[in-house]
Amino acid sequence: MNIDASILIAARNEEDTILRCLQAVGQLRYPPDRYEVLIGNDQSEDQTGELVADFFRNKPNYRLITITQKMGKQAGKANVLAQLAQHAQGRILLFTDADCAVSPDWLSGMLKPFEQERIGILTGCTQIIGQTVFQKLQAVDWFYGQYLIKQLTDLNIPVTAMGNNMAVRRTAYDAVGGYENLPFSVVEDYQLFTEIVQRGFSFGHLFNREVLATTLPLPNWQSWLHQRKRWMVGALQLPPYFIILFVLQLLFYPLLIVLAFWFPTAAATIWLIKFVTQTAQLLWILNRFRRWDLLPYLIGFEFYLHIGYFISLIYYWLPTKLVWKGRTYS
């Protein structure tokens, strides 16, 4: 059988979200005999396995694989994906998360760029749907971060991939030896992206509604801090010029306040230029994705962004363990 794509999903304790994810995959506008769906049940302690097994009944292109052992140096999600990839038959491997719902055209949209022979890894776009102010600010943050990555990608500057909406050419995946032969990292998507780019494969980032996935916001500050600590691990592995840009962003307001003591007009002008530019970019994003519900949160996002940088860095340096999906990592 000629399989175009294998969709790989790692699931651990996802009984509240897994059916939403699978129902979205089931509505893909793509010939069902040309793709397969593989779910790895990673020792779930709830009803995840039972729900998936019931959903997969009478669906020959869906497979549930129970994960009980470690492969190579991997743990957690990367360990699950390494084992799923060994069962996959598709020429393109697609990755999404158990708490994500992909759009109906996601599969066809993600496959199109692979008509170019050298593209090895591709990232789609993910949005957050939330209700509270905190959740809305997360949504703005995700859009803006992906927009910046897209601009750098178009300049052929590699940054990262996002494992909840990602596609990898099988030959590129095999060229790096698969997840099982990579060093362990809590940012497994960044690790895979870096290795593939270093092998000479090209990369891409799609920023449109066709490949849009929808994920859930983090419910509280504690889970948000753990996510940011995990992201900081990847951010601090970026090239030095990215670290410099990060530090400048971190110090923007402290330096602006100091400048305002001697040159208040210059400080106000710099702030205005930054805010107007950032707001113009965000308005373009909201229009592109029809997310005008986020418009009232653009001013608050300026403070969320900069305070978030400080909090993330402080929490990263605190001697706390990283907890993710009920597991603790060093």
Side-chain angles (χ1 to χ4, degrees), residues 5-154:
S6 299
I7 300 173
L8 312 183
I9 305 171
R12 174 173 168 78
N13 297 338
E14 301 284 0
E15 64 180 8
D16 294 332
T17 60
I18 190 65
L19 289 182
R20 170 176 168 271
C21 171
L22 294 176
Q23 287 163 359
V25 170
Q27 295 174 6
L28 288 170
R29 288 193 277 258
Y30 202 85
D33 60 335
R34 301 294 297 276
Y35 72 94
E36 61 179 357
V37 181
L38 284 76
I39 298 280
N41 181 21
D42 185 16
Q43 302 178 44
S44 294
E45 299 164 337
D46 59 8
Q47 298 300 307
T48 297
E50 291 83 348
L51 291 171
V52 173
D54 185 62
F55 186 89
F56 282 9
R57 192 168 291 116
N58 300 321
K59 295 181 175 66
N61 61 324
Y62 288 66
R63 282 186 284 167
L64 172 63
I65 298 171
T66 301
I67 307 299
T68 58
Q69 298 178 336
K70 290 182 61 174
M71 175 173 285
K73 300 177 182 179
Q74 296 302 340
K77 181 180 176 182
N79 178 54
V80 178
L81 297 177
Q83 297 186 50
L84 292 181
Q86 290 196 337
H87 293 274
Q89 303 176 55
R91 61 183 180 86
I92 307 296
L93 305 178
L94 287 103
F95 302 82
T96 189
D97 284 352
D99 57 0
C100 286
V102 297
S103 65
D105 295 316
W106 177 71
L107 182 51
S108 57
M110 292 291 280
L111 291 181
K112 283 178 186 176
F114 286 94
E115 295 172 4
Q116 304 174 33
E117 291 186 4
R118 286 306 299 171
I119 189 162
I121 187 165
L122 180 73
T123 300
C125 186
T126 302
Q127 68 172 347
I128 285 178
I129 300 294
Q131 302 300 323
T132 69
V133 172
F134 179 49
Q135 293 170 353
K136 296 281 190 179
L137 289 172
Q138 289 179 58
V140 178
D141 191 20
W142 272 62
F143 271 134
Y144 194 57
Q146 291 172 91
Y147 169 82
L148 295 178
I149 294 173
K150 166 65 174 174
Q151 304 313 305
L152 293 169
T153 300
D154 289 348

Side-chain angles (χ1 to χ4, degrees), residues 26-303:
Q27 295 174 6
L28 288 170
R29 288 193 277 258
Y30 202 85
D33 60 335
R34 301 294 297 276
Y35 72 94
E36 61 179 357
V37 181
L38 284 76
I39 298 280
N41 181 21
D42 185 16
Q43 302 178 44
S44 294
E45 299 164 337
D46 59 8
Q47 298 300 307
T48 297
E50 291 83 348
L51 291 171
V52 173
D54 185 62
F55 186 89
F56 282 9
R57 192 168 291 116
N58 300 321
K59 295 181 175 66
N61 61 324
Y62 288 66
R63 282 186 284 167
L64 172 63
I65 298 171
T66 301
I67 307 299
T68 58
Q69 298 178 336
K70 290 182 61 174
M71 175 173 285
K73 300 177 182 179
Q74 296 302 340
K77 181 180 176 182
N79 178 54
V80 178
L81 297 177
Q83 297 186 50
L84 292 181
Q86 290 196 337
H87 293 274
Q89 303 176 55
R91 61 183 180 86
I92 307 296
L93 305 178
L94 287 103
F95 302 82
T96 189
D97 284 352
D99 57 0
C100 286
V102 297
S103 65
D105 295 316
W106 177 71
L107 182 51
S108 57
M110 292 291 280
L111 291 181
K112 283 178 186 176
F114 286 94
E115 295 172 4
Q116 304 174 33
E117 291 186 4
R118 286 306 299 171
I119 189 162
I121 187 165
L122 180 73
T123 300
C125 186
T126 302
Q127 68 172 347
I128 285 178
I129 300 294
Q131 302 300 323
T132 69
V133 172
F134 179 49
Q135 293 170 353
K136 296 281 190 179
L137 289 172
Q138 289 179 58
V140 178
D141 191 20
W142 272 62
F143 271 134
Y144 194 57
Q146 291 172 91
Y147 169 82
L148 295 178
I149 294 173
K150 166 65 174 174
Q151 304 313 305
L152 293 169
T153 300
D154 289 348
L155 295 172
N156 202 36
I157 300 174
V159 182
T160 189
M162 294 179 60
N164 65 1
N165 193 343
M166 182 175 73
V168 178
R169 190 184 297 276
R170 182 74 205 216
T171 52
Y173 182 84
D174 290 340
V176 303
Y179 272 120
E180 61 268 30
N181 288 303
L182 299 182
F184 171 71
S185 174
V186 293
V187 281
E188 77 292 327
D189 42 11
Y190 171 78
Q191 186 71 44
L192 182 64
F193 173 83
T194 301
E195 297 283 346
I196 288 175
V197 171
Q198 288 177 350
R199 296 302 193 285
F201 290 93
S202 62
F203 52 93
H205 190 112
L206 299 178
F207 197 66
N208 57 58
R209 297 175 69 191
E210 183 182 24
V211 297
L212 188 64
T214 300
T215 190
L216 300 175
L218 294 172
N220 53 55
W221 283 99
Q222 184 178 16
S223 57
W224 183 89
L225 286 170
H226 282 294
Q227 182 193 65
R228 291 308 170 111
K229 186 162 188 168
R230 177 171 166 266
W231 286 359
M232 285 292 292
V233 173
L236 294 178
Q237 295 175 23
L238 291 169
Y241 53 87
F242 281 108
I243 305 300
I244 293 172
L245 290 174
F246 174 79
V247 171
L248 290 175
Q249 180 82 331
L250 190 69
L251 296 177
F252 178 76
Y253 271 103
L255 292 175
L256 197 68
I257 292 171
V258 172
L259 180 63
F261 278 107
W262 286 277
F263 306 100
T265 302
T269 302
I270 291 171
W271 180 87
L272 186 63
I273 291 173
K274 176 188 182 297
F275 182 74
V276 169
T277 302
Q278 179 178 289
T279 301
Q281 293 168 332
L282 287 168
L283 289 173
W284 181 87
I285 294 168
L286 299 190
N287 181 63
R288 185 174 186 81
F289 291 96
R290 306 296 188 266
R291 287 298 307 274
W292 291 111
D293 61 298
L294 301 178
L295 183 61
Y297 303 91
L298 297 192
I299 294 178
F301 173 67
E302 174 69 9
F303 301 99

Side-chain angles (χ1 to χ4, degrees), residues 309-324:
Y309 267 85
F310 274 104
I311 294 175
S312 298
L313 187 61
I314 293 170
Y315 192 73
Y316 173 79
W317 289 112
L318 288 178
T320 57
K321 298 290 186 178
L322 175 61
V323 179
W324 197 250

